[in-house]
Amino acid sequence: MPTSTPKPTTPSTPRRGAAGVTSAAPPASAVPDSVAEQLKVTQAYLDQHQVVPVLHRLVELLVYHQPDNPRAFMARHLRDLHAVRTAGGTSAAVAGKAPGLALFTRENLVNVFKIYDAAGSGVLNQKQFAEAMAFLGIKKATVPKLDSIPTDYFVQEAERALNNNVSI
């Protein structure tokens, strides 16, 4: 049985992606020489545009809300995020909220607290506090010098940091 050899693509030749979507190949100068270099370029791109935290948040929202139309749900949340980042929050879902808080309700913040309070004690230690803040996308959280951090303090600090940082 003859096997066909795939035709090599050139920078000007369109390629078919996994979903059948045609896209242009990147310019030859933008293609890294090695796999390690390619991984570094890819990671830098994902970090620069904060793609992974946004996708994590979308998946969390999908699992929590389980909408009938997941694509429309994700599209709405991406539009809201875009509105927050470009115009400071102009869509109906974000109107009247501080930009960083547009994606998190108080209930969301309390639920994040509960995730990190695995023992159900109603308090977090410093390590749990820092991890919960990082989970919210707050990269430079000031960890309080308290042994036990209660829910209200965590929520207040998360709201303050999200209001100031918009780092998600």
Side-chain angles (χ1 to χ4, degrees):
M1 184 157 103
T3 329
S4 65
T5 306
K7 182 180 169 186
T9 60
T10 62
S12 61
T13 305
R15 297 183 298 174
R16 285 235 177 245
V21 176
T22 302
S23 64
S29 62
V31 178
D33 294 333
S34 71
V35 172
E37 205 176 311
Q38 197 169 24
L39 287 172
K40 285 181 186 176
V41 169
T42 300
Q43 189 62 51
Y45 175 83
L46 294 173
D47 291 345
Q48 176 187 356
H49 297 287
Q50 298 179 333
V51 173
V52 174
V54 169
L55 291 177
H56 277 265
R57 182 66 181 144
L58 280 174
V59 171
E60 290 166 3
L61 289 168
L62 279 172
V63 170
Y64 182 78
H65 293 285
Q66 299 184 3
D68 291 333
N69 187 341
R71 290 180 181 162
F73 180 85
M74 289 187 297
R76 180 171 39 89
H77 281 280
L78 286 171
R79 278 191 303 274
D80 290 346
L81 178 61
H82 179 71
V84 167
R85 290 191 173 175
T86 58
T90 57
S91 74
V94 297
K97 285 187 169 184
L101 295 175
L103 298 177
F104 296 100
T105 65
R106 182 174 178 78
E107 181 183 358
N108 294 147
L109 297 175
V110 169
N111 286 334
V112 168
F113 179 92
K114 288 177 181 178
I115 289 169
Y116 285 88
D117 177 23
S121 63
V123 295
L124 300 179
N125 62 34
Q126 292 175 343
K127 182 180 176 190
Q128 292 167 324
F129 178 89
E131 289 174 355
M133 289 295 198
F135 175 80
L136 292 169
I138 302 166
K139 294 178 170 62
K140 296 180 181 178
T142 303
V143 179
K145 295 184 186 337
L146 302 171
D147 292 332
S148 299
I149 302 159
T151 309
D152 289 341
Y153 185 87
F154 170 80
V155 170
Q156 177 185 346
E157 288 301 303
E159 288 175 338
R160 184 190 55 73
L162 288 167
N163 187 29
N164 293 332
N165 291 341
V166 192
S167 59
I168 50 178

